[in-house]
Amino acid sequence: MTTATERTTAAHGVTLTPVAVAKVNTLLEQEGRDDLRLRIAVQPGGCSGLIYQLYFDERLMDGDLTVEFDGVEVVVDKMSNPYLAGAVIDFADSIEKQGFTIDNPNAQSSCACGDSFG
């Protein structure tokens, strides 16, 4: 029997590439805070049915799943986890595009109207 005060940290299946880790570390340094983590979530909406959200969060909520990548704590909530298992977060920095990209094997279709990332 486990008590309510025991809290095990479960891992999620999201991976950050080394390039994405470096970019997140740079952004965290610019924020000047050491209490933030990268939260990745999915919300209903967009033309493909889901919108990805990536943002810094100081909170940890019940059921959050965490994995650390070279000092970057990545958090996924328990509702988003099934949709993000196996997803790879990268950072593209080219003439055509700059920003975080998500390669998600769970995505059923892609948008013809553009990226569905929030």
Side-chain angles (χ1 to χ4, degrees):
M1 187 169 143
T2 59
T3 63
T5 56
E6 289 179 8
R7 182 174 181 164
T8 58
T9 304
H12 54 72
V14 176
T15 302
L16 243 64
T17 67
V19 174
V21 169
K23 183 61 178 181
V24 171
N25 274 323
T26 299
L27 293 170
L28 285 170
E29 286 173 16
Q30 291 172 358
E31 289 288 327
R33 294 174 59 181
D34 61 0
D35 64 335
L36 297 176
R37 55 195 55 86
L38 181 66
R39 181 173 292 278
I40 303 166
V42 294
Q43 298 292 327
C47 57
S48 66
L50 293 174
I51 298 171
Y52 297 101
Q53 295 185 320
L54 277 75
Y55 58 95
F56 292 125
D57 197 353
E58 60 193 21
R59 303 165 296 144
L60 271 178
M61 295 180 266
D62 283 342
D64 278 347
L65 309 171
T66 63
V67 175
E68 187 174 312
F69 297 90
D70 294 328
V72 174
E73 187 177 6
V74 178
V75 180
V76 175
D77 66 84
K78 63 184 173 185
M79 298 298 287
S80 297
N81 188 52
Y83 300 103
L84 292 168
V88 177
I89 312 290
D90 198 3
F91 186 79
D93 192 1
S94 66
I95 293 172
E96 299 88 21
K97 184 175 187 173
Q98 183 181 40
F100 289 98
T101 62
I102 300 176
D103 180 12
N104 188 348
N106 301 302
Q108 297 299 319
S109 63
S110 61
C111 283
C113 58
D115 291 340
S116 184
F117 301 144

